Amino acid sequence: MTFNAAALLLLILGLALIGWLAGRARSAMLAGRAGRKLHSRPQYHGWYVALWLFAPAAIFLAVWTSASPALITNQVLTTPAAESLPAFGFERGAILSDARSVAQGQQAAVRLPAAAPLVKPYAEATAHYAWIGIAAMLALALAGGAYAFTRIRPEFRARTRVERIVMLLLLLASLVAILTTFGIVLSLLFESLRFFSLVPVSELLFGTYWNPQSGAPVADTFGGIPLFWGTVLIGAIIAMLVAIPIGMMSAVYLTQYAAPRVRRWVKPCLEILAGVPTVVYGYFAALTVAPALRNFAVMLGVPNASTESALAAGIVMGVMIIPFVSSMADDSINAVPQAMRDGSLALGATPNETIRQVLIPAALPGVMGGILLAVSRAIGETMIVVMAAGLSANLTANPFASVTTVTAQIVKLLTGDQEFDSAKTLAAFALGLVLFLVTLLLNIVALRIVKKYREAYE
């Protein structure tokens, strides 16, 4: 017998539903028998019982699901069949994993002969701890439900208790994003400090040669300037030169000039671009745009023109993020009060002047938000860069040359079997930390700009 968390979660939900019905019925019955008015409606009493049935059991289920595999493995290791296992290493883990997969029904037969004697101990330990988990979970659910059921009285403030529980759940949900951010920062910081203990900070930030090697770090091979420049060239220059003008002009046309029928068709078609998978953009860049740009470069006489170029990746990336700029600018322009439009036109301004001098400045906070979102999206893009710009860390201003970005190198460094005590692998975390700090700085600058213009129009 295996510990099926999904089935047990459905069982808990079923018990909670029964508890809701029982609590609701009991509160109505007590009110009728005592001839007194309930402080809270019957459904709140039902929710109180259901929450006490569900919450303790669900918390235990989450903890037990995480802890039981280690308990099962420890019990298997105490059996005579495990005495012949290697003491440490990859082979030991592979044998245990193979036996566990067969015992839990995830595969039909063992792939490693040494795993066969461990299948029966694994099956017995799995069933043993599954029954323990189910019994404890049901005991907690019934105990919680019984406690809540016995507290139901006409004067019981069930609504207040339920609302407090819901507020606590909402608070925990809001803390998830904050705690996740802290976890990301701490993990990046910890691994980055390990990297900087091997490689100087100045080398990563100011070095101009990038060629990390496995094993002991070689001096002057972790220069990050080519990666930073490639990220800026593709994501913050070329892509923005494509996305910002087209996105802004699209937003102005759709909000000020387009007929309602045209807007109904054009706006959804424009936003479809945001739903296209990035690998499709990568194929388009590599198979269509890049060869065309190479032929154009040859026609101009550019030496050593390649099908992998920053221009190809930047143009396609700019097309990909047009909807981010256009949608945010569209919503921001529509949100400008009609009185500002009418006042400008009443003073003799033309529609063109009204758009340039009134609507766009008033909508600038939203426009800046869209541009910031587009820049963040472009900086974090990987697939288009790998397929169209290549992985060569070149420090060049030639848009027809092959360059790479920080995100592309992070993927390259963490792909395959890597040693996490090697400077080459740890460099990925240092690059991630730099990228995080740059994004944070962009947010701070954008917020200051938004605040400045918001004060001018409030």
Side-chain angles (χ1 to χ4, degrees), residues 174-188 436 440:
S174 64
L175 288 176
V176 168
I178 299 174
L179 295 176
T180 302
T181 303
F182 274 113
I184 293 172
V185 173
L186 290 176
S187 64
L188 285 176
F436 173 80
L440 180 63

Side-chain angles (χ1 to χ4, degrees), residues 191 194-196 198-199 203-204 210-218 221-222 227 406 409-432:
E191 299 297 340
R194 293 179 59 194
F195 171 76
F196 290 129
L198 301 173
V199 178
E203 181 177 341
L204 178 68
W210 177 265
N211 187 24
Q213 303 293 332
S214 300
V218 181
T221 58
F222 288 92
L227 312 186
V406 171
Q409 286 298 313
I410 290 174
V411 172
K412 179 182 177 181
L413 293 173
L414 295 179
T415 301
D417 296 331
Q418 302 293 341
E419 300 176 359
F420 278 84
D421 57 351
S422 168
K424 178 182 178 182
T425 305
L426 294 175
F429 296 95
L431 292 174

Side-chain angles (χ1 to χ4, degrees), residues 84-378:
S84 59
L85 284 175
F88 301 100
F90 174 79
E91 184 181 359
R92 175 190 177 93
I95 294 172
L96 292 173
S97 177
D98 195 20
R100 179 171 56 248
S101 298
V102 175
Q104 296 178 353
Q106 298 175 1
Q107 64 187 48
V110 295
R111 297 186 178 94
L112 301 174
L118 298 174
V119 172
K120 184 178 179 180
Y122 250 116
E124 293 174 351
T126 301
H128 175 71
Y129 282 104
W131 282 116
I132 292 176
I134 293 171
M137 183 194 70
L138 292 177
L140 283 173
L142 295 176
Y147 167 77
F149 191 78
T150 56
R151 298 198 66 190
I152 295 177
R153 297 287 187 275
E155 67 277 7
F156 181 63
R157 299 175 178 269
R159 186 189 67 185
T160 305
R161 302 299 177 87
V162 170
E163 288 177 349
R164 286 179 181 175
I165 295 173
V166 172
M167 288 181 63
L168 178 61
L169 293 176
L170 293 176
L171 176 62
L172 293 176
S174 64
L175 288 176
V176 168
I178 299 174
L179 295 176
T180 302
T181 303
F182 274 113
I184 293 172
V185 173
L186 290 176
S187 64
L188 285 176
L189 189 60
F190 176 75
E191 299 297 340
S192 298
L193 290 176
R194 293 179 59 194
F195 171 76
F196 290 129
S197 67
L198 301 173
V199 178
V201 179
S202 58
E203 181 177 341
L204 178 68
L205 297 181
F206 304 109
T208 58
Y209 179 68
W210 177 265
N211 187 24
Q213 303 293 332
S214 300
V218 181
D220 300 328
T221 58
F222 288 92
I225 291 294
L227 312 186
F228 304 147
W229 169 245
T231 303
V232 171
L233 179 63
I234 295 176
I237 297 179
I238 299 176
M240 290 301 106
L241 288 175
V242 174
I244 293 177
I246 296 177
M248 286 297 300
M249 288 188 290
S250 301
V252 170
Y253 171 75
L254 292 174
T255 55
Q256 304 300 315
Y257 297 107
R261 182 177 180 181
V262 175
R263 177 180 170 84
R264 284 196 301 268
W265 281 96
V266 174
K267 186 173 174 61
C269 292
L270 188 64
E271 292 180 347
I272 286 176
L273 294 174
V276 177
T278 56
V279 67
V280 176
Y281 282 112
Y283 280 127
F284 175 67
L287 301 179
T288 304
V289 178
L293 288 176
R294 179 184 178 279
N295 295 334
F296 179 69
V298 171
M299 183 181 66
L300 294 177
V302 176
N304 301 321
S306 171
T307 54
E308 294 180 339
S309 66
L311 189 59
I315 290 175
V316 176
M317 194 181 296
V319 172
M320 180 187 68
I321 60 180
I322 286 174
F324 293 93
V325 179
S326 177
S327 296
M328 292 293 291
D330 187 311
D331 296 339
S332 301
I333 293 173
N334 278 326
V336 175
Q338 184 65 33
M340 296 184 68
R341 294 185 177 91
D342 296 340
S344 175
L345 295 172
L347 290 173
T350 64
N352 190 357
E353 292 171 336
T354 299
I355 292 170
R356 288 187 292 106
Q357 300 179 14
V358 177
L359 296 184
I360 292 180
L364 190 61
V367 173
M368 285 299 302
I371 293 175
L372 176 64
L373 181 64
V375 172
S376 301
R377 181 70 178 84

